[in-house]
Amino acid sequence: MAYAVRPAEDRDLPLLAEIERSADGVFGPLGIAFPVGPTVIEEVAAGALQLLVVGDPPIGFAAVIEVDGHRHLEQIALHADHTGRGLGRPLMERVIGDADGGELTLITFRDVPWNGPWYAQFGFVEMPESEWGPELRAHWQAEIAAGLHELGPRLVMRHPGS
């Protein structure tokens, strides 16, 4: 089975919500259970600036949107059956590479090992609140309203580009 990173095609889209649900399940042992409702990919796929998948059929994806005039990694997910094999790395490297040296932001859990610490391995650093734009602030507030911040400490990170 091929695990190349590629742009998502229409035939991939029906599979992505299940990948996200599976990925969300790995948070369970940490006491993190995401609110019931549409998945992130169901909410952003149609308007995504970039939608990448790994594998054919896909076993993971990354969705990039535009926030405050730059790229924002809205979601990256691997099916739970494929975690721990390094398959997220080429997906993340592609997202960073496709940013063409521009800034890339994300919001994630601070202390979950495959979140904040994992992104730091790629050069992401915490972004001070004083540097957030209005759309990023609105995104943060929407997460609070959705209950995500009750699940554990969150932070905004950015990849400074080149």
Side-chain angles (χ1 to χ4, degrees):
M1 181 177 292
Y3 291 115
V5 175
R6 61 183 174 79
E9 299 174 9
D10 288 343
R11 65 186 170 92
D12 300 319
L13 299 180
L15 305 172
L16 302 185
E18 178 51 37
I19 291 169
E20 183 175 340
R21 284 186 199 95
S22 174
D24 286 353
V26 302
F27 289 85
L30 300 177
I32 297 173
F34 292 98
V36 176
T39 61
V40 171
I41 195 63
E42 288 169 327
E43 293 179 338
V44 304
L49 183 63
Q50 181 179 44
L51 188 55
L52 299 170
V53 296
V54 61
D56 192 359
I59 58 161
F61 69 87
V64 177
I65 63 172
E66 186 173 307
V67 173
D68 294 320
H70 61 78
R71 290 174 173 258
H72 178 85
L73 179 61
E74 183 64 11
Q75 179 77 335
I76 188 169
L78 282 177
H79 193 282
D81 292 344
H82 297 278
T83 60
R85 299 185 199 174
L87 298 172
R89 177 167 291 282
L91 195 54
M92 189 72 244
E93 289 171 345
R94 173 76 179 266
V95 168
I96 292 168
D98 286 355
D100 293 327
E103 187 170 277
L104 175 66
T105 59
L106 58 86
I107 302 174
T108 193
F109 287 105
R110 177 181 299 279
D111 302 323
V112 173
W114 57 88
N115 279 191
W118 187 75
Y119 293 116
Q121 294 175 24
F122 293 94
F124 282 86
V125 295
E126 187 165 355
M127 185 177 189
E129 186 175 350
S130 61
E131 297 177 18
W132 299 359
E135 292 176 355
L136 189 55
R137 285 183 192 284
H139 224 59
W140 182 264
Q141 290 302 318
E143 282 200 353
I144 291 171
L148 287 176
H149 292 247
E150 296 171 19
L151 302 176
R154 306 276 289 164
L155 79 155
V156 174
M157 300 183 85
R158 76 166 155 220
H159 191 276
S162 53

